[in-house]
Amino acid sequence: MAIVELSSALVDQCKLCAQQRDHNRRNSVDYSSDRTDDKSIWSFMGVLGEVALLTYFELEIDWEYLSTDKGFCGVDVGDIWEVRAMSKFGNRLFLWSDEVMKPNKLSYAWSKVVVDPTTGYCNVCGWAMGYEIAARGVHDQYDCKRSSYFYPNDQLRQHRNPLADQALSRQLHTIYKNIEHEGIF
């Protein structure tokens, strides 16, 4: 597991970015499906997770991309990484059921990032490809309105080396991208 500690200045920038993101997406399905009273915390956690993965991969942070619809509807990090930020290690990496129906989402690498929004301390835990989550995940619905596919934590690939993670994810992305139209799910 890789640990990324974001500076307090970077955490403050993440807060500002999350406020803009929250404003831009307040009518979206993702936003409205959450039963949490303080929905803005999820925007903040999402930005923290994305910035942590960008930092892990030593990629440039594009604040405009992260805070606008381009970033919300596009790939989270680089060109093939999606981020699921969460607050507890025991939580599992997941895909919303509607994401499983989108073959392009299944060919991406999905990273579980556990964030502490008060300190900026982030654990870049592990990852799996979307197809793997859809095929081996447990379909269930917990405390939100949308059902999901939950991937077992013990089956995640660990983030250990940014270059190796990028190389393997690109190989798998190429394989899964080529089977997008075969209608597996």
Side-chain angles (χ1 to χ4, degrees):
M1 170 178 344
I3 297 179
V4 174
E5 192 169 354
L6 304 177
S7 69
S8 59
L10 200 51
V11 170
D12 288 343
Q13 284 181 285
C14 289
K15 284 179 188 172
L16 293 173
C17 181
Q19 288 171 354
Q20 184 61 49
R21 174 185 277 190
D22 190 51
H23 175 77
N24 289 341
R25 64 177 254 199
R26 63 180 168 239
N27 294 321
S28 77
V29 172
D30 278 348
Y31 186 84
S32 62
S33 68
D34 178 1
R35 291 186 183 169
T36 306
D37 289 335
D38 182 11
K39 291 177 177 48
S40 63
I41 188 67
W42 296 115
S43 296
F44 179 43
M45 288 178 59
V47 172
L48 284 172
E50 291 168 23
V51 169
L53 197 61
L54 285 161
T55 302
Y56 172 75
F57 286 126
E58 298 180 357
L59 298 173
E60 184 179 333
I61 300 169
D62 182 345
W63 294 106
E64 182 178 339
Y65 179 81
L66 289 175
S67 66
T68 63
D69 283 344
K70 277 180 20 184
F72 181 65
C73 298
V75 180
D76 291 339
V77 172
D79 55 357
I80 60 170
W81 287 94
E82 295 288 349
V83 175
R84 285 290 189 235
M86 51 197 70
S87 61
K88 299 176 186 166
F89 283 100
N91 291 353
R92 293 170 287 170
L93 183 60
F94 68 92
L95 292 179
W96 299 113
S97 292
D98 60 312
E99 290 172 324
V100 170
M101 305 311 292
K102 299 174 185 172
N104 64 325
K105 288 285 194 181
L106 299 178
S107 66
Y108 291 123
W110 291 77
S111 182
K112 173 183 172 179
V113 181
V114 177
V115 303
D116 181 344
T118 60
T119 65
Y121 192 77
C122 304
N123 290 282
V124 183
C125 296
W127 63 280
M129 298 303 290
Y131 272 110
E132 296 165 340
I133 299 168
R136 291 186 233 138
V138 175
H139 185 242
D140 210 338
Q141 185 170 341
Y142 289 102
D143 59 354
C144 67
K145 297 175 188 173
R146 294 165 73 189
S147 66
S148 303
Y149 287 79
F150 296 90
Y151 196 71
N153 283 326
D154 63 355
Q155 292 183 24
L156 291 173
R157 291 175 188 85
Q158 296 302 303
H159 282 287
R160 291 195 176 109
N161 178 296
L163 293 176
D165 293 348
Q166 287 282 38
L168 179 56
S169 66
R170 286 190 191 288
Q171 287 175 332
L172 293 171
H173 176 70
T174 299
I175 291 167
Y176 289 129
K177 188 90 172 144
N178 288 333
I179 63 171
E180 266 183 16
H181 303 290
E182 292 185 18
I184 293 175
F185 297 99

